[in-house]
Amino acid sequence: MHGLAQWQGATTCLAFAVAYDGAEITTAEGLADGKTLHPVQQAFLDQDGFQCGYCTPGQICSAVGMLVEAAAGQPSHVTAPASPADKSAEITLSDTEIRERMSGNLCRRGAYVNILAAVRHAAATSGGQP
């Protein structure tokens, strides 16, 4: 399972609860605002980015976390280095960047193409906001 601790991705099935004492934890179920889905949840529906209920919550939480991290300017291993003069360079979420940032999630049903499309769509519509 995957969740968000303080809007950063957390592999909750491998974490000790005490490590997150006092932290705000958000699961995929907690992303919606009443009956209005979070932009990432909606993108997964629109792009058919799921095939079962096992990995989808983790994929959705990872996508939200990576969008927040990218919007905050946190680079990944494939992020092109910004010039020293450009401290406000935005991270472009190319397919390569998205794949790298989502690489810790597995889908045994092989929905990766649609998951990539869903994350790309959510990035374009949410602006990295939780």
Side-chain angles (χ1 to χ4, degrees):
M1 297 307 252
H2 204 86
L4 297 161
Q6 313 296 97
W7 296 109
Q8 294 183 340
T11 308
T12 55
C13 61
L14 298 176
F16 290 110
V18 70
Y20 292 98
D21 185 30
E24 178 183 330
I25 305 293
T26 304
T27 63
E29 295 82 2
L31 290 170
D33 182 14
K35 292 185 179 184
T36 304
L37 293 177
H38 184 279
V40 173
Q41 292 172 313
Q42 189 62 55
F44 268 69
L45 283 174
D46 294 345
Q47 303 297 320
D48 195 25
F50 57 92
Q51 296 216 1
C52 72
Y54 184 75
C55 74
T56 301
Q59 297 281 358
I60 289 171
C61 285
S62 289
V64 171
M66 64 139 298
L67 290 172
V68 170
E69 291 168 2
Q74 295 177 5
S76 75
H77 292 292
V78 300
T79 304
S83 70
D86 188 6
K87 304 252 188 255
S88 64
E90 289 187 27
I91 294 174
T92 302
L93 289 174
S94 65
D95 287 357
T96 301
E97 186 76 39
I98 293 169
R99 282 185 184 105
E100 170 63 25
R101 290 174 181 269
M102 295 290 291
S103 65
N105 291 75
L106 298 176
C107 175
R108 293 178 186 234
R109 305 277 186 227
Y112 294 112
V113 173
N114 295 4
I115 291 168
L116 178 63
V119 175
R120 190 183 321 113
H121 180 74
T125 59
S126 75
Q129 298 304 310

